[in-house]
mmCIF file of all heavy atoms in Angstrom:
data_model
loop_
_atom_site.group_PDB
_atom_site.id
_atom_site.type_symbol
_atom_site.label_atom_id
_atom_site.label_comp_id
_atom_site.label_asym_id
_atom_site.label_seq_id
_atom_site.Cartn_x
_atom_site.Cartn_y
_atom_site.Cartn_z
ATOM 1 N N ASP A 1 77.092 117.653 101.517
ATOM 2 C CA ASP A 1 75.859 117.231 102.197
ATOM 3 C C ASP A 1 76.135 116.810 103.637
ATOM 4 O O ASP A 1 75.359 117.126 104.547
ATOM 5 C CB ASP A 1 75.200 116.086 101.433
ATOM 6 C CG ASP A 1 74.583 116.538 100.121
ATOM 7 O OD1 ASP A 1 75.331 117.038 99.268
ATOM 8 O OD2 ASP A 1 73.364 116.385 99.956
ATOM 9 N N LEU A 2 77.235 116.092 103.852
ATOM 10 C CA LEU A 2 77.607 115.672 105.198
ATOM 11 C C LEU A 2 77.814 116.884 106.103
ATOM 12 O O LEU A 2 77.314 116.922 107.237
ATOM 13 C CB LEU A 2 78.883 114.829 105.162
ATOM 14 C CG LEU A 2 79.433 114.407 106.520
ATOM 15 C CD1 LEU A 2 78.523 113.377 107.179
ATOM 16 C CD2 LEU A 2 80.860 113.863 106.376
ATOM 17 N N PHE A 3 78.540 117.884 105.602
ATOM 18 C CA PHE A 3 78.815 119.077 106.403
ATOM 19 C C PHE A 3 77.533 119.854 106.700
ATOM 20 O O PHE A 3 77.311 120.307 107.834
ATOM 21 C CB PHE A 3 79.825 119.971 105.683
ATOM 22 C CG PHE A 3 80.155 121.228 106.438
ATOM 23 C CD1 PHE A 3 80.924 121.184 107.588
ATOM 24 C CD2 PHE A 3 79.682 122.460 106.000
ATOM 25 C CE1 PHE A 3 81.233 122.341 108.301
ATOM 26 C CE2 PHE A 3 79.973 123.620 106.701
ATOM 27 C CZ PHE A 3 80.751 123.556 107.856
ATOM 28 N N GLU A 4 76.681 119.986 105.710
ATOM 29 C CA GLU A 4 75.439 120.729 105.918
ATOM 30 C C GLU A 4 74.516 120.026 106.912
ATOM 31 O O GLU A 4 73.793 120.683 107.668
ATOM 32 C CB GLU A 4 74.718 120.924 104.578
ATOM 33 C CG GLU A 4 75.428 121.888 103.635
ATOM 34 C CD GLU A 4 74.712 122.041 102.299
ATOM 35 O OE1 GLU A 4 73.769 121.253 102.046
ATOM 36 O OE2 GLU A 4 75.107 122.922 101.516
ATOM 37 N N TYR A 5 74.571 118.709 106.955
ATOM 38 C CA TYR A 5 73.676 117.942 107.815
ATOM 39 C C TYR A 5 74.215 117.798 109.236
ATOM 40 O O TYR A 5 73.448 117.794 110.208
ATOM 41 C CB TYR A 5 73.448 116.556 107.206
ATOM 42 C CG TYR A 5 72.270 115.801 107.771
ATOM 43 C CD1 TYR A 5 70.966 116.156 107.431
ATOM 44 C CD2 TYR A 5 72.446 114.721 108.630
ATOM 45 C CE1 TYR A 5 69.872 115.456 107.937
ATOM 46 C CE2 TYR A 5 71.361 114.012 109.140
ATOM 47 C CZ TYR A 5 70.077 114.389 108.789
ATOM 48 O OH TYR A 5 68.992 113.690 109.294
ATOM 49 N N THR A 6 75.542 117.665 109.373
ATOM 50 C CA THR A 6 76.133 117.377 110.686
ATOM 51 C C THR A 6 77.021 118.498 111.217
ATOM 52 O O THR A 6 77.381 118.481 112.404
ATOM 53 C CB THR A 6 76.993 116.102 110.638
ATOM 54 O OG1 THR A 6 78.133 116.330 109.790
ATOM 55 C CG2 THR A 6 76.182 114.920 110.103
ATOM 56 N N GLY A 7 77.431 119.431 110.359
ATOM 57 C CA GLY A 7 78.376 120.452 110.778
ATOM 58 C C GLY A 7 79.802 119.945 110.862
ATOM 59 O O GLY A 7 80.689 120.611 111.400
ATOM 60 N N TYR A 8 80.060 118.758 110.310
ATOM 61 C CA TYR A 8 81.405 118.166 110.399
ATOM 62 C C TYR A 8 81.896 117.765 109.022
ATOM 63 O O TYR A 8 81.141 117.273 108.199
ATOM 64 C CB TYR A 8 81.387 116.921 111.301
ATOM 65 C CG TYR A 8 82.757 116.332 111.523
ATOM 66 C CD1 TYR A 8 83.643 116.920 112.414
ATOM 67 C CD2 TYR A 8 83.168 115.199 110.828
ATOM 68 C CE1 TYR A 8 84.914 116.390 112.616
ATOM 69 C CE2 TYR A 8 84.432 114.647 111.024
ATOM 70 C CZ TYR A 8 85.305 115.251 111.921
ATOM 71 O OH TYR A 8 86.561 114.724 112.114
ATOM 72 N N ARG A 9 83.188 117.993 108.813
ATOM 73 C CA ARG A 9 83.841 117.472 107.619
ATOM 74 C C ARG A 9 85.175 116.850 108.042
ATOM 75 O O ARG A 9 85.856 117.379 108.940
ATOM 76 C CB ARG A 9 84.045 118.550 106.553
ATOM 77 C CG ARG A 9 85.040 119.615 106.886
ATOM 78 C CD ARG A 9 85.281 120.561 105.713
ATOM 79 N NE ARG A 9 84.235 121.545 105.536
ATOM 80 C CZ ARG A 9 83.461 121.593 104.451
ATOM 81 N NH1 ARG A 9 83.625 120.713 103.486
ATOM 82 N NH2 ARG A 9 82.534 122.526 104.349
ATOM 83 N N PRO A 10 85.553 115.707 107.462
ATOM 84 C CA PRO A 10 86.823 115.066 107.813
ATOM 85 C C PRO A 10 87.995 116.030 107.690
ATOM 86 O O PRO A 10 88.047 116.841 106.763
ATOM 87 C CB PRO A 10 86.920 113.923 106.795
ATOM 88 C CG PRO A 10 85.484 113.559 106.552
ATOM 89 C CD PRO A 10 84.757 114.878 106.535
ATOM 90 N N GLU A 11 88.949 115.948 108.643
ATOM 91 C CA GLU A 11 89.978 116.980 108.737
ATOM 92 C C GLU A 11 91.394 116.458 108.974
ATOM 93 O O GLU A 11 92.349 117.234 108.911
ATOM 94 C CB GLU A 11 89.613 117.947 109.869
ATOM 95 C CG GLU A 11 89.444 117.272 111.224
ATOM 96 C CD GLU A 11 88.858 118.197 112.281
ATOM 97 O OE1 GLU A 11 88.323 119.265 111.915
ATOM 98 O OE2 GLU A 11 88.955 117.851 113.475
ATOM 99 N N VAL A 12 91.579 115.168 109.263
ATOM 100 C CA VAL A 12 92.904 114.651 109.593
ATOM 101 C C VAL A 12 93.755 114.507 108.328
ATOM 102 O O VAL A 12 93.377 113.804 107.389
ATOM 103 C CB VAL A 12 92.815 113.301 110.329
ATOM 104 C CG1 VAL A 12 94.205 112.758 110.630
ATOM 105 C CG2 VAL A 12 92.015 113.460 111.619
ATOM 106 N N ALA A 13 94.907 115.170 108.301
ATOM 107 C CA ALA A 13 95.809 115.134 107.146
ATOM 108 C C ALA A 13 96.470 113.769 107.022
ATOM 109 O O ALA A 13 96.668 113.054 108.018
ATOM 110 C CB ALA A 13 96.870 116.220 107.280
ATOM 111 N N VAL A 14 96.839 113.411 105.799
ATOM 112 C CA VAL A 14 97.482 112.123 105.540
ATOM 113 C C VAL A 14 98.766 111.965 106.346
ATOM 114 O O VAL A 14 99.043 110.888 106.880
ATOM 115 C CB VAL A 14 97.738 111.958 104.028
ATOM 116 C CG1 VAL A 14 98.784 110.888 103.771
ATOM 117 C CG2 VAL A 14 96.442 111.571 103.315
ATOM 118 N N SER A 15 99.551 113.026 106.464
ATOM 119 C CA SER A 15 100.799 112.930 107.219
ATOM 120 C C SER A 15 100.535 112.551 108.673
ATOM 121 O O SER A 15 101.229 111.710 109.256
ATOM 122 C CB SER A 15 101.567 114.253 107.150
ATOM 123 O OG SER A 15 100.775 115.326 107.644
ATOM 124 N N GLU A 16 99.520 113.142 109.275
ATOM 125 C CA GLU A 16 99.153 112.849 110.654
ATOM 126 C C GLU A 16 98.606 111.432 110.775
ATOM 127 O O GLU A 16 98.929 110.700 111.716
ATOM 128 C CB GLU A 16 98.120 113.868 111.127
ATOM 129 C CG GLU A 16 97.677 113.704 112.564
ATOM 130 C CD GLU A 16 96.610 114.704 112.970
ATOM 131 O OE1 GLU A 16 96.363 115.658 112.205
ATOM 132 O OE2 GLU A 16 96.010 114.524 114.050
ATOM 133 N N GLY A 17 97.762 111.047 109.835
ATOM 134 C CA GLY A 17 97.148 109.727 109.886
ATOM 135 C C GLY A 17 98.153 108.600 109.709
ATOM 136 O O GLY A 17 98.096 107.589 110.421
ATOM 137 N N ILE A 18 99.069 108.754 108.762
ATOM 138 C CA ILE A 18 100.089 107.719 108.537
ATOM 139 C C ILE A 18 101.012 107.619 109.740
ATOM 140 O O ILE A 18 101.414 106.518 110.146
ATOM 141 C CB ILE A 18 100.873 107.997 107.239
ATOM 142 C CG1 ILE A 18 99.966 107.770 106.021
ATOM 143 C CG2 ILE A 18 102.110 107.097 107.151
ATOM 144 C CD1 ILE A 18 100.637 108.004 104.687
ATOM 145 N N ALA A 19 101.354 108.750 110.345
ATOM 146 C CA ALA A 19 102.201 108.727 111.543
ATOM 147 C C ALA A 19 101.533 107.926 112.658
ATOM 148 O O ALA A 19 102.184 107.133 113.356
ATOM 149 C CB ALA A 19 102.495 110.151 112.004
ATOM 150 N N ALA A 20 100.230 108.117 112.841
ATOM 151 C CA ALA A 20 99.502 107.382 113.874
ATOM 152 C C ALA A 20 99.472 105.891 113.558
ATOM 153 O O ALA A 20 99.624 105.042 114.449
ATOM 154 C CB ALA A 20 98.088 107.929 114.008
ATOM 155 N N PHE A 21 99.268 105.556 112.273
ATOM 156 C CA PHE A 21 99.263 104.155 111.879
ATOM 157 C C PHE A 21 100.615 103.506 112.134
ATOM 158 O O PHE A 21 100.689 102.402 112.696
ATOM 159 C CB PHE A 21 98.900 103.994 110.401
ATOM 160 C CG PHE A 21 99.129 102.601 109.878
ATOM 161 C CD1 PHE A 21 98.199 101.600 110.109
ATOM 162 C CD2 PHE A 21 100.295 102.281 109.199
ATOM 163 C CE1 PHE A 21 98.417 100.297 109.663
ATOM 164 C CE2 PHE A 21 100.527 100.985 108.743
ATOM 165 C CZ PHE A 21 99.580 99.994 108.970
ATOM 166 N N VAL A 22 101.697 104.171 111.739
ATOM 167 C CA VAL A 22 103.039 103.615 111.895
ATOM 168 C C VAL A 22 103.368 103.406 113.370
ATOM 169 O O VAL A 22 103.960 102.388 113.752
ATOM 170 C CB VAL A 22 104.084 104.513 111.210
ATOM 171 C CG1 VAL A 22 105.506 104.108 111.609
ATOM 172 C CG2 VAL A 22 103.932 104.434 109.695
ATOM 173 N N SER A 23 102.975 104.348 114.210
ATOM 174 C CA SER A 23 103.212 104.208 115.648
ATOM 175 C C SER A 23 102.514 102.964 116.188
ATOM 176 O O SER A 23 103.109 102.172 116.937
ATOM 177 C CB SER A 23 102.706 105.461 116.374
ATOM 178 O OG SER A 23 102.848 105.327 117.769
ATOM 179 N N TRP A 24 101.234 102.764 115.794
ATOM 180 C CA TRP A 24 100.519 101.568 116.223
ATOM 181 C C TRP A 24 101.152 100.314 115.640
ATOM 182 O O TRP A 24 101.348 99.312 116.350
ATOM 183 C CB TRP A 24 99.051 101.631 115.779
ATOM 184 C CG TRP A 24 98.373 100.303 115.914
ATOM 185 C CD1 TRP A 24 97.875 99.738 117.053
ATOM 186 C CD2 TRP A 24 98.198 99.320 114.878
ATOM 187 N NE1 TRP A 24 97.380 98.482 116.790
ATOM 188 C CE2 TRP A 24 97.569 98.206 115.466
ATOM 189 C CE3 TRP A 24 98.504 99.294 113.513
ATOM 190 C CZ2 TRP A 24 97.241 97.060 114.726
ATOM 191 C CZ3 TRP A 24 98.180 98.157 112.773
ATOM 192 C CH2 TRP A 24 97.555 97.057 113.383
#
């Protein structure tokens, strides 16, 4: 429903997200 309404779906992989968290 989110994608159909906004054209967006979450896309950031866990590996990328955890790396960003650890850096911060």
